Amino acid sequence: VVPITNSGSNDAYFGCYAPDGTLQFIKKFGGTGDDKGNTVFADDTRVIFGGQFGTTVNFGTFSLSTSGGVDGFMVEADKNGNVLNAVKAGGPLAEATDATVIDINGNDIFVGEYTSATLTAGSMTLTNALSGAKDVYIAKFGVITLAFATVANVCYDGTIGSIDMTITGDGTAPYTYSWTGPSGFTSTNEDLTNLATVWFKVTVTDA
């Protein structure tokens, strides 16, 4: 039995079970308002889920606050339940995310409803044909693909290595880059040169 403490009113949660019924993990998300998970979809690498929340809710390192009434949330997590992204679909009245799917191209698709005059999700805004009545929204989060052309060092202690990165997919330019490596190495360049034979990690964020 895994105990879960409620944060106020109703909270949302999702869990993962192995084929033999063994609980792998369970994650709770909630604030002091009325929060509810409505939909979930998973593939071999990640899980996406959506619902609605009433005040402020922390999804991993992402903090979402409502725009007035009850807002919808759209969340992506890895196969271990660690949140990778969280976006609200918000307005001053009542909104919710009701359905999710990962399509054959790996895009995250969320479907929901809103009653506010306008709905804002990220940098996009939709207008309701009749404020107070329900309109439907569909949100698609695309896939960014990274390809690396590398030059290796001839000698182990050499420093002529390089990484040339190419970005394709559904991202929106301009991109920002955050490289990390041994001994506190950091860089915000797209490509790296004069490298030793060590490991590097990069996070790419689109506009």
Side-chain angles (χ1 to χ4, degrees):
V1 177
V2 178
I4 302 175
T5 302
N6 192 302
S7 296
S9 184
N10 294 320
D11 285 351
Y13 71 91
F14 77 98
C16 175
Y17 287 86
D20 64 0
T22 303
L23 179 65
Q24 303 300 295
F25 65 81
I26 188 166
K27 303 284 185 176
K28 185 211 75 171
F29 307 98
T32 57
D34 190 13
D35 315 307
K36 181 171 63 173
N38 293 335
T39 176
V40 63
F41 191 95
D43 65 7
D44 292 339
T45 62
R46 65 191 191 278
V47 57
I48 61 175
F49 58 98
Q52 57 196 93
F53 66 105
T55 52
T56 297
V57 176
N58 293 323
F59 297 92
T61 60
F62 300 87
S63 181
L64 303 184
S65 296
T66 60
S67 300
V70 178
D71 286 349
F73 65 79
M74 300 174 283
V75 176
E76 179 186 47
D78 65 19
K79 63 182 180 180
N80 297 314
N82 302 306
V83 175
L84 304 173
N85 192 32
V87 177
K88 76 172 181 178
L93 299 180
E95 345 299 342
T97 302
D98 299 320
T100 55
V101 68
I102 300 172
D103 69 17
I104 59 173
N105 296 316
N107 300 302
D108 297 346
I109 309 295
F110 298 85
V111 180
E113 61 189 62
Y114 66 106
T115 56
S116 297
T118 58
L119 175 84
T120 299
S123 61
M124 298 186 178
T125 299
L126 300 178
T127 301
N128 194 328
L130 180 61
S131 179
K134 289 185 178 180
D135 269 9
V136 173
Y137 69 86
I138 301 176
K140 171 187 171 184
F141 295 84
V143 177
I144 297 175
T145 301
L146 308 180
F148 301 93
T150 61
V151 174
N153 289 302
V154 177
C155 300
Y156 178 78
D157 59 352
T159 56
I160 63 170
S162 64
I163 302 174
D164 184 355
M165 179 167 54
T166 301
I167 302 174
T168 58
D170 299 315
T172 302
Y175 297 95
T176 58
Y177 314 95
S178 177
W179 290 90
T180 57
S183 303
F185 173 87
T186 62
S187 176
T188 56
N189 295 328
E190 178 179 351
D191 304 318
L192 301 181
T193 57
N194 303 319
L195 302 177
T197 305
V198 291
W199 61 266
F200 296 94
K201 178 182 177 181
V202 64
T203 299
V204 178
T205 305
D206 72 346

